[in-house]
């Protein structure tokens, strides 16, 4: 038991932040950076796509649905591989692996965000949009000021689930040797070649804490939002 703890403590700094002192973040730090970067890209991107699909129900909506179904119907690992080989061809230079994986995660996650937000928009009573139009609001103002605030509150549990999945999906970066948590755990295991159970139990516990922490923060924010709404009412 003591040896199991020792193998973690001896490699804890590498598991947590990799070679951050040398300007190369890794481990938990890189996992968080990729998840945060992908979330920052995917959330507004998915919301914008949902608004476009809701506002233009004809050809544009069909194209967006086709794109989203294509992305959601393909394993994320293939999306990572595609961008890994495609982006250097398009840009003429190699991108850092963490950037490529972050873009793949954002692209994949934006499709799920679009579906969730669009479903929320379609669930709202049509009379709200019509009432806003009669009050002189433009379509953009109606979406931004009246409809989206309601939708984002309603679909918050769905969005939290999407971003928890995003956090776990960062582990797929190991396939292109990006040194996030799963990759560095494998490197530590290959180096010491003993106690793999301890190393990967530690890795699983870290992912659990990150994901459950995100869920708890979202629930706390939701309760505070409900209390604020009740106070205004």
């Amino acid at each position: 038991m003591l040896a199991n703890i020792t193998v973690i403590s001896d490699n804890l700094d590498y598991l947590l932040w990799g070679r951050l002192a040398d300007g190369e973040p890794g481990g938990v730090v890189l996992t968080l950076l990729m998840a945060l970067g992908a979330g920052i890209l995917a959330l507004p991107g998915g919301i914008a796509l949902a608004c476009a699909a809701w506002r233009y129900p004809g050809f544009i909506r069909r194209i967006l649905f086709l794109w989203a179904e294509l992305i959601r119907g393909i394993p994320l690992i293939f999306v990572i591989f595609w961008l890994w080989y495609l982006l250097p061809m398009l840009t003429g230079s190699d991108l850092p692996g963490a950037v490529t994986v972050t873009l793949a995660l954002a692209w994949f996650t934006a499709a799920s965000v679009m579906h969730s937000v669009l479903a929320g928009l379609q669930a709202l009573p049509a009379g709200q949009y019509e009432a806003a139009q009669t009050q002189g609001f433009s379509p953009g103002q109606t979406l931004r000021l009246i409809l989206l605030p309601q939708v984002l509150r309603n679909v918050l549990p769905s969005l939290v689930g999407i971003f928890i999945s995003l956090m776990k999906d960062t582990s797929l970066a190991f396939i292109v040797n990006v040194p996030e948590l799963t990759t560095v755990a494998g490197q530590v295991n290959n180096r010491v070649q003993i106690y793999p159970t301890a190393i990967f139990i530690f890795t699983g516990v870290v992912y659990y804490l990150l994901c459950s922490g995100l869920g708890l923060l979202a629930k706390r924010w939701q309760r505070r939002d409900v209390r604020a709404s009740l106070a205004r009412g």
Side-chain angles (χ1 to χ4, degrees):
M1 181 65 181
L2 181 60
N4 289 337
I5 296 174
T6 301
V7 74
I8 298 300
S9 61
D10 288 347
N11 296 279
L12 186 60
D13 57 342
Y14 187 60
L15 290 166
L16 292 179
W17 48 75
R19 297 187 176 91
L20 186 60
D22 299 325
E24 299 178 9
V28 177
V29 168
L30 186 56
T31 292
L32 289 171
L33 288 174
M34 289 195 302
L36 181 61
I40 288 173
L41 293 172
L43 182 60
I47 291 173
L49 292 172
C51 291
W54 180 83
R55 183 71 180 84
Y56 305 103
F59 177 75
I60 291 179
R61 179 182 294 183
R62 288 195 295 270
I63 290 296
L64 290 174
F65 263 89
L66 180 62
W67 168 80
E69 290 302 319
L70 176 64
I71 295 302
R72 284 156 53 94
I74 296 172
L76 175 57
I77 194 169
F78 286 106
V79 177
I80 293 173
F81 272 131
W82 286 350
L83 291 188
W84 180 259
Y85 293 109
L86 181 62
L87 287 178
M89 294 172 58
L90 295 176
T91 62
S93 61
D94 292 333
L95 293 176
V99 173
T100 301
V101 174
T102 299
L103 293 174
L105 290 169
W107 189 20
F108 193 85
T109 304
S112 297
V113 172
M114 188 195 85
H115 266 275
S116 181
V117 174
L118 181 58
L121 284 168
Q122 292 174 330
L124 292 176
Q128 291 195 27
Y129 181 78
E130 296 166 358
Q133 294 292 286
T134 61
Q135 295 297 317
F137 286 89
S138 69
Q141 290 174 324
T142 303
L143 275 169
R144 187 175 69 254
L145 302 176
I146 298 175
L147 303 183
L148 277 180
Q150 299 178 68
V151 169
L152 293 178
R153 282 195 298 269
N154 294 340
V155 303
L156 179 61
S158 175
L159 293 178
V160 171
I162 290 170
F163 287 110
I164 286 175
S165 295
L166 168 62
M167 182 75 72
K168 292 185 288 187
D169 286 341
T170 58
S171 62
L172 291 175
F174 84 93
I175 64 171
V176 289
N177 206 34
V178 173
E180 46 69 57
L181 177 57
T182 300
T183 303
V184 299
Q187 291 170 352
V188 170
N189 181 59
N190 293 336
R191 184 168 65 246
V192 300
Q193 295 186 344
I194 53 175
Y195 312 118
T197 301
I199 293 169
F200 288 108
I201 285 178
F202 170 81
T203 303
V205 168
V206 171
Y207 277 114
Y208 171 78
L209 291 174
L210 292 176
C211 295
S212 61
L214 178 60
L216 289 173
L217 284 174
K219 289 179 181 177
R220 182 175 180 181
W221 181 86
Q222 192 173 30
R223 286 196 296 268
R224 186 172 62 183
D225 187 60
V226 169
R227 288 197 295 268
S229 297
L230 292 174
R232 289 194 299 268

